[in-house]
Amino acid sequence: MALPAQSAFAATINATIVKGATNLADKAYSPNPINAAQGDTVTWTNADTAAHTVTQGNPSEGQVEGGFDSGIMGPNKTFSHTFDEEGNFAYYCLLHPTMVGTVLVGEGGGGDNGNGGENGNGDGATKETEVETEYDGQTYTIKSKSENAHVIDATINPSESVGVDFEGSGPVELTLPRSMIENITMVSTDEGEIEFQEVNSTATDTTISFTLPEGQTFAEITGTKVVPEFGVIAALVLAASLVAMVGIARFKGSSLGFGRF
Ligand SMILES: [Cu+2]
């Protein structure tokens, strides 16, 4: 495992809420992810004409209590937060919860924000990362081991699948708790099903390996058993909320569609 690169001086990293961010999902904040070193400050500028927020948390679990939160940022407004601890910090927009981003603080931070040059990970070293996802009060840890495809976020789609977001693509070993998903049957990216292999299985975890094709940073893992166990009820609730969303979209007469929600 690579050792975390320590910066001698804390840096300020500029990020942007891009124009048209409302409909840009994980492209709404740029760069995404933001790579920072411990102690760095990230300053977001709202370059859009609409108001947005930079709020720690994610759309499925909501705002992190005591986490960073810009409040409502009008056009050209800025928000800064200093990251004193290592870790992966998901954030989103409270006004448009499909807008999501991640700040990666720690290993190899600082230099890999699209200004050229991989920093820290270009030596072919395998790195282990993990994220926690919460469902119904339970926390599940998902681990990745890869050269370039590092897990940064995971979302449980109750009774169906687990969606996993990566920084980068390529071969990856992914370890998932059996309490979250069992009997993995399929792995797919946004472009369809990909091959996977089960490489290890313990009493508590399953490890699978697959290769994320170039440019693909999302995998949906489907299993025959995904939390919660009372799948039918969850499916009904999901169906009900879908109906509600369709209703709202019709009411607004939206021509934008609703993409991923
Ligand atoms: Cu927004």
Side-chain angles (χ1 to χ4, degrees):
M1 251 179 84
L3 288 169
Q6 292 292 334
S7 288
F9 302 99
T12 297
I13 295 162
N14 291 311
T16 306
I17 302 175
V18 306
K19 208 162 192 304
T22 302
N23 299 304
L24 294 178
D26 62 358
K27 308 269 189 299
Y29 301 98
S30 177
N32 186 37
I34 295 164
N35 290 288
Q38 215 173 338
D40 283 356
T41 298
V42 179
T43 298
W44 285 266
T45 300
N46 184 5
D48 195 17
T49 50
H52 298 287
T53 79
V54 170
T55 304
Q56 190 180 353
N58 67 55
S60 52
E61 288 144 36
Q63 187 170 358
V64 171
E65 218 176 297
F68 58 87
D69 180 21
S70 64
I72 291 173
M73 293 168 68
N76 301 316
K77 291 281 181 284
T78 63
F79 168 69
S80 295
H81 181 75
T82 300
F83 291 85
D84 289 322
E85 282 173 39
E86 269 191 10
N88 300 337
F89 300 89
Y91 64 95
Y92 69 118
C93 176
L94 286 175
L95 305 176
H96 315 102
T98 54
M99 290 171 54
V100 292
T102 308
V103 182
L104 306 174
V105 183
E107 296 181 75
D112 189 17
N113 289 306
N115 305 321
E118 277 274 317
N119 185 0
N121 303 326
D123 56 359
T126 298
K127 193 170 89 170
E128 288 180 49
T129 50
E130 57 180 58
V131 290
E132 285 182 349
T133 188
E134 222 184 29
Y135 184 78
D136 204 10
Q138 289 287 318
T139 301
Y140 304 95
T141 303
I142 294 122
K143 295 175 200 160
S144 68
K145 200 199 262 186
S146 174
E147 209 177 296
N148 293 309
H150 310 300
V151 62
I152 52 172
D153 198 9
T155 308
I156 295 172
N157 305 308
S159 306
E160 265 179 28
S161 62
V162 178
V164 184
D165 286 296
F166 296 86
E167 176 204 12
S169 39
V172 59
E173 275 190 10
L174 199 65
T175 300
L176 304 133
R178 299 173 79 105
S179 54
M180 179 181 76
I181 185 166
E182 268 203 84
N183 304 324
I184 293 163
T185 53
M186 188 168 79
V187 177
S188 24
T189 68
D190 288 333
E191 295 192 340
E193 194 175 345
I194 56 171
E195 273 182 47
F196 78 98
Q197 283 174 326
E198 197 176 293
V199 292
N200 194 26
S201 181
T202 68
T204 54
D205 296 291
T206 310
T207 301
I208 57 172
S209 75
F210 53 88
T211 299
L212 277 169
E214 186 76 46
Q216 296 290 314
T217 56
F218 173 79
E220 185 170 12
I221 323 286
T222 308
T224 56
K225 196 183 138 200
V226 180
V227 288
E229 294 202 44
F230 305 105
V232 178
I233 294 167
L236 285 174
V237 172
L238 186 66
S241 59
L242 280 175
V243 168
M245 281 191 196
V246 170
I248 291 163
R250 289 219 176 113
F251 177 70
K252 283 185 176 167
S254 168
S255 58
L256 299 167
F258 33 83
R260 277 175 68 180
F261 43 80

